[in-house]
Structure formats: structure tokens, C-alpha cells
Amino acid sequence: IPTAGTVLLVDLLHYNPAPVQDAILRRAAGALAPGGVLYIRDIDAAAGARAWVSCAQERIGRLLGLNLGATLCFRPASEIVTVLTSEGLSAAEVPATTGLPFANVLIAARRADEARPGAEVERRSISS
């Protein structure tokens, strides 16, 4: 697998069954170079009423033919973070819908920078 400094998965996971989502996450994690970042934006199925609104919007879009995914599988963001941490990444959830009725979440997952000890801590403090 070629390596990358940054990988983006934007509104992709929920169009796949959970086992396929996990395979996508593992492949993306495996592609990260030391110090690389994986950004994922998706629906957090654990976000209560906002998740219901987001999931309903996706289902309506699918019925209208606007979303062409073969399936819809919404998961809590915490499950995605668990997969990423099992792949050796540090991951954090950031709400991505302030002021909106949707349940989008941004997950930033980082591969440790093996070339510079302490770089991961430095990077985290800069982006926090």
C-alpha cells in the first residue's frame, strides 16, 4: 500500500456495511505515513435526535436516487475511534455541526511520528 501524509474519508463510511467500513478504516490507517493524519467526516449514530434527522435525510436521499449507496449503515463515532485506535492511531472526535440539526462528526486520527520522538505530543498541543 502506498503511504500518504493525509487521508480523507468524507461521507463515505455509512454507505457500506460495518465489516466493509472496518476494512476501509484499516486500509486507510495502514496507508498513513509516520506523522500522517486520517480525517473522517460521517454521521454519529449515537447523537440522539440529531442522528435521527441525519439518518432520515440520508434515507430520503436514497429513496429519491440522490444517494447511490447500496446500503446505509450508521454507527456511533466511538466504534470508528475504537477501530482506529486498534490500528495504532490516536483519534479524537470533533463535533462538526455546531448550530445545525445534523449529527456530523469529524474524527481526526494520527499516526505517531516515529522519526521524531515527542512530535505526536507537540502536534496535538498545536492543533488543540
Side-chain angles (χ1 to χ4, degrees), residues 30-119:
L32 286 179
V37 183
L38 167 60
Y39 292 106
I40 301 163
R41 188 187 94 141
D42 218 296
I43 294 170
D44 181 1
R50 292 182 327 134
W52 186 91
V53 169
S54 296
C55 294
Q57 176 189 15
E58 288 291 333
R59 287 185 178 99
I60 291 167
R62 187 163 172 234
L63 287 172
L64 296 175
L66 301 173
N67 300 334
L68 302 178
T71 188
L72 291 172
C73 178
F74 306 103
R75 298 168 75 185
S78 61
E79 287 184 15
I80 295 167
V81 167
T82 297
V83 174
L84 297 172
T85 56
S86 75
E87 294 297 311
L89 305 180
S90 61
E93 299 173 41
V94 180
T97 55
T98 303
L100 299 174
F102 305 111
N104 293 328
V105 66
L106 176 67
I107 298 169
R110 300 178 191 281
R111 166 100 37 227
D113 189 345
E114 297 157 5
R116 275 189 349 170

